[in-house]
Amino acid sequence: MKHLSICRLLLCGLIAPVAPLTAQTWTQTAAPSSSWYALAASADGSKLVVAIGGANAGGIFTSSNSGTTWLPTTAPVTNWFAIASSADGVKLVAVAGGGPTIKGLIYTSANSGLTWAATSAPSNYWYTVASSADGTKLVAGGSRNKVAPLYSSTNSGVTWVSNNIAPMNWRALATSPDGSKIIALAGGNSGGIFISTNFGGNWTSNAAPNPQLQAIAASADMTKMVAVTYGPSPGPIYTSINSGGTWTQTIAPNNYWASVAASADGSRLVAVASVGGIYTSTDAGANWTSNNLSVAAWNAVASSADGGKLAAAVNGGGIYTARTTPPPALNVSPAGLNLTLSWIVPSTNYTLLQSSNLSATTWLNVPIVPSLNLSNLHYEVSLPAPPGNAFYRLKTP
């Protein structure tokens, strides 16, 4: 058992420590070797979805047990380029196309990939897609090889509209959990980073730190961002702590970075290189460590909300997973006559306990089922403010 975070009334007594920066252990899963191109995960990391694509046509596979076993889905065989998942892993969206001569469609699934349906989105050189935590708000962009508009949907892909932004060579998209904020990354010297805070109604251009940015990820509140570069020569990894207002080049080595993912609080980052390995950071990109995996065509990476479960896919190889147990930070705040306790959706099960005495040997379970706040990917419990001392902690079973 682990007692990982304690709060007393309105003040957190113990803040979860930052885990030491050490190489993780990655394990190859039972997924077959293939031309894996896109990867996504549920908030707790238990559900994964991966697609074959790029220059090679293939299908979509899912796992409901953090990558231990995989099942092919009924998705059509085509050139998949990107895939996204709702927080619970039930609603999925995948885009096909992305080549100079290949157009494709956008498909969605409302049952964790069991069945798929083509949406009304136009045939396009689709290259990137992002989803809100509830899976209702979607945004998709065309290939970096073609100038194309952004399209968005507010009803899980039933209908689509063109966004209020000029067509560009879109490379990557990210959204806040509620879908209101969108980061759109356009490649080339005429591109840049564009941010909308009203689901694409208006856009603000932020100077990109490098014209060769390939992928971008952000914390749930969209204040912390990480962006990686790809070609024509090896490039760096950049981070921002002010929603893309300014960027800092990190000490990560220059490489052909293909994909990047971030935890909900932006502290845990993972990046993969198409001619290299996997690097992780537990301090928002200040330091990075190589995970000592063999050089391979790493193409996609995904993270759980707490950064404890990671998955990475090789284009022309297998799918790998890594598992750690980040100590959760238990937050407490006043809400009228009540207290709200909250913590990031964990990849490990925790029980919320309470006691009136910090030194007590027996703590009681809080008899309330946490609710999921889809605006920040936190579990929340609301309790009446106690008349005296009250201590709370999270404990593994």
Side-chain angles (χ1 to χ4, degrees), residues 11 13 51 67 80-81 90 95 103 126 130 147 161 190 229 248 253 280 285 313 318 337 342 347 366:
L11 297 176
W80 300 107
F81 272 79
V90 174
V95 300
K103 283 189 175 182
W126 299 111
V147 174
V161 296
S190 61
T229 54
T248 300
T280 51
L337 298 177
S342 66
S347 53
V366 174

Side-chain angles (χ1 to χ4, degrees), residues 144 171 210-213 229-235 255-256:
R144 62 177 178 173
R171 290 188 177 179
N210 190 307
Q212 298 302 323
L213 293 182
T229 54
Y230 185 96
S233 59
N255 214 323
Y256 294 94

Side-chain angles (χ1 to χ4, degrees), residues 266-320:
S267 65
R268 291 174 173 265
L269 310 175
V270 56
V272 296
S274 64
V275 186
I278 301 177
Y279 282 73
T280 51
S281 173
T282 59
D283 53 13
N287 295 283
W288 293 83
T289 185
S290 169
N291 283 270
N292 301 319
L293 290 169
S294 60
V295 173
W298 299 97
N299 202 69
V301 69
S303 171
S304 61
D306 67 353
K309 288 183 180 179
L310 305 176
V314 179
N315 188 355
I319 299 173
Y320 294 72

